Amino acid sequence: MQNVILTKNLSKSYGAATVLKSIDLEIQSGELTAIMGPSGSGKSTLMNVLSTIDRFTGGEVWLEGKSLLGVKKQSLRQFRQERMGFIFQDYNLLDTLTVKENILLPLSLRGFKIEEMEKRLQPILKALNIEAITDKYPNEISGGQKQRVASARAIITEPAIVFADEPTGALDSRSATQLLEQLVGLNQTFGTTILMVTHDTYAASYCKRVIFLRDGGVVNEIYAGEQSQRHFYDRILENQSLMGGKLR
């Protein structure tokens, strides 16, 4: 499988404070991976660095085989727009646009033809079960529906990787389960590579791999393999216990 992300000895400092330390990481095409760790472990910083929102200060990062060393800000911005998708805890939908318009916005900004946008849109609407709400506005739909719309917007560009930052954080348990099941469906149906930062053991148990951070470094990682989600959930809890409690 092809590496979407590869890091070697990655570090990130803010002044005298080192937030990420010597991280070696591979994210392969088609993976569904969670990053977990206590507050201050470096989860958000790692996501910001891997998504090119923030610069790293040591080591090296490759995205789809291309080194980021010396790449200019404009090129990174273009790469984010074309090859990355983002799902945020607070949805980031535009209230003045309909569901359909919100989803198609990234393609509209890039000048896609209507025919191509519609061709991409229909299977995603079906996969996320939001076909019936395309003409509604964000204030007319539930939180779970908003997050599914945000997910559709994230994958409409057919990105190399989708970054999900606490995607279930603002959802009730039923909506969270529905979203997670549909993210798994997107991963399986479209081969979408998803990297999720979460403190939620239940959310992480839907992934095939969990990477644990503490004090800015990778301390462990586990794979689901052929075990059930319930068994994987228990293994994640066990790893949390060994690390000193819940990873909030």
Side-chain angles (χ1 to χ4, degrees):
M1 296 176 70
Q2 178 186 0
N3 285 326
V4 178
I5 293 175
L6 176 66
T7 77
K8 294 291 185 183
N9 204 31
L10 172 67
S11 63
K12 173 64 179 178
S13 299
Y14 296 98
T18 301
V19 183
L20 299 177
K21 306 172 185 176
S22 303
I23 291 179
D24 294 337
L25 184 65
E26 293 183 35
I27 303 295
Q28 295 185 330
S29 177
E31 278 197 299
L32 176 53
T33 304
I35 296 177
M36 303 188 76
S39 296
S41 62
K43 299 189 303 296
S44 296
T45 300
L46 180 59
M47 175 169 280
N48 288 340
V49 168
L50 297 181
S51 63
T52 76
I53 292 173
D54 202 356
R55 292 274 193 173
F56 53 97
T57 50
E60 194 163 2
V61 178
W62 291 264
L63 296 178
E64 294 192 299
K66 182 178 180 180
S67 174
L68 297 187
L69 287 175
V71 178
K72 295 181 179 179
K73 285 185 178 181
Q74 183 175 351
S75 297
L76 292 177
R77 188 182 304 114
Q78 183 176 359
F79 189 90
R80 279 197 301 274
Q81 291 173 346
E82 296 179 357
R83 303 300 296 146
M84 295 181 180
F86 296 87
I87 304 172
F88 302 100
Q89 181 176 339
D90 57 359
Y91 321 126
N92 281 12
L93 300 179
L94 297 180
D95 292 335
T96 56
L97 299 182
T98 65
V99 162
K100 180 178 179 178
E101 290 167 342
N102 266 286
I103 296 170
L104 294 179
L105 183 60
L107 298 184
S108 298
L109 293 174
R110 289 168 53 188
F112 274 65
K113 294 182 179 180
I114 294 176
E115 295 81 4
E116 175 62 21
M117 291 194 290
E118 288 289 345
K119 182 180 177 181
R120 292 192 184 193
L121 178 65
Q122 295 310 315
I124 294 173
L125 293 177
K126 184 176 181 180
L128 288 167
N129 193 27
I130 50 176
E131 296 166 290
I133 62 170
T134 54
D135 293 329
K136 293 184 179 295
Y137 288 86
N139 65 354
E140 298 176 316
I141 61 178
S142 69
Q145 289 171 325
K146 289 178 183 177
Q147 197 59 296
R148 279 182 272 162
V149 172
S151 301
R153 182 186 56 193
I155 70 165
I156 194 75
T157 59
E158 299 178 355
I161 186 167
V162 170
F163 293 94
D165 187 6
E166 299 283 5
T168 62
L171 303 179
D172 59 46
S173 58
R174 180 171 177 270
S175 297
T177 297
Q178 290 177 340
L179 175 68
L180 291 165
E181 289 175 348
Q182 283 152 346
L183 287 179
V184 170
L186 292 175
N187 173 255
Q188 295 174 344
T189 302
F190 299 104
T192 306
T193 308
I194 301 173
L195 183 62
M196 178 194 308
V197 164
T198 183
H199 69 267
D200 185 355
T201 306
Y202 181 67
S205 71
Y206 277 81
C207 297
K208 294 301 181 183
R209 174 188 179 198
V210 179
I211 299 167
F212 296 93
L213 297 186
R214 180 176 286 282
D215 298 328
V218 175
V219 293
N220 195 16
E221 58 181 292
I222 58 175
Y223 292 81
E226 299 301 319
Q227 64 194 302
S228 67
Q229 182 197 340
R230 178 66 206 187
H231 188 191
F232 196 42
Y233 175 88
D234 290 340
R235 283 189 63 203
I236 296 170
L237 283 179
E238 181 183 352
N239 274 266
Q240 288 177 321
S241 177
L242 293 173
M243 292 176 64
K246 293 185 177 181
L247 304 183
R248 290 185 180 272

